[in-house]
Amino acid sequence: MGSPSPTRALFESPTERSLQTLASSLPRVQGLITEVAEIKRLRVKLPADPEDDAYVLRFARSVLEPLNAVMTETAPSLGTGARDFADDFRSHTSALDVACRSKSAETELEELRALEVALAGFLDLGKRYNVKPRDDINSYSGAAGVLYNKFLFRAG
């Protein structure tokens, strides 16, 4: 029979739902960029904490990697250029994984900024759709500190 599909409004297309998922992820990526910039600054003065790299790796695997499938699925409906942004996003996600394993905050920061550019470019192609983040608990900015707190990712 299959799994049940999520409830959606009659006027909401699958492309629009996918773009809303991507738009909800962009502020999370931007928040991670500021944290990694702080980690990079601290590593000049202090010894490297391997938990910081593990935090970024867990974030990439739990938040960024699922977006690869969403972008691949949505790219054909956005026309030319979308496939390039999706490929860039995928390559920078795998490069971020390598940077985390090598414990290089500078490389992690470069890859995260490239991911932000690819994600923002992909969303710019979908401007004809509603690309505002969804109003659910995962996109509520007040809960961002709780849901994607690095101490929760470190607990594991």
Side-chain angles (χ1 to χ4, degrees):
M1 183 160 170
S3 63
S5 62
T7 306
R8 63 182 174 97
L10 294 174
F11 54 85
E12 206 174 40
S13 70
T15 302
E16 187 173 353
R17 282 185 298 146
S18 297
L19 288 171
Q20 287 172 346
T21 300
L22 295 169
S24 298
S25 299
L26 184 59
R28 295 178 195 148
V29 172
Q30 292 166 337
L32 185 64
I33 288 173
T34 58
E35 287 189 35
V36 172
E38 179 66 14
I39 290 168
K40 178 184 169 192
R41 186 187 71 77
L42 288 175
R43 284 193 177 172
V44 172
K45 301 174 187 176
L46 302 170
D49 183 4
E51 290 297 321
D52 292 331
D53 300 305
Y55 161 59
V56 176
L57 183 63
R58 286 187 197 110
F59 182 90
R61 289 190 175 169
S62 64
V63 176
L64 299 177
E65 283 187 9
L67 297 180
N68 285 327
V70 174
M71 290 179 100
T72 302
E73 199 174 278
T74 309
S77 62
L78 295 180
T80 59
R83 177 73 62 197
D84 295 334
F85 283 122
D87 291 341
D88 285 348
F89 189 86
R90 185 176 302 103
S91 68
H92 289 298
T93 303
S94 61
L96 180 62
D97 187 86
V98 172
C100 291
R101 292 179 185 283
S102 67
K103 297 176 175 52
S104 171
E106 185 174 336
T107 310
E108 290 172 19
L109 190 58
E110 290 171 9
E111 295 304 329
L112 283 168
R113 287 186 176 142
L115 281 166
E116 179 189 23
V117 168
L119 187 55
F122 195 87
L123 289 171
D124 282 343
L125 292 175
K127 280 188 176 180
R128 65 179 178 221
Y129 297 98
N130 177 12
V131 294
K132 293 180 183 171
R134 281 183 281 184
D135 288 331
D136 63 3
I137 189 65
N138 291 326
S139 66
Y140 174 60
S141 61
V146 175
L147 293 176
Y148 295 101
N149 188 315
K150 71 178 172 182
F151 296 110
L152 292 177
F153 280 121
R154 288 180 171 189

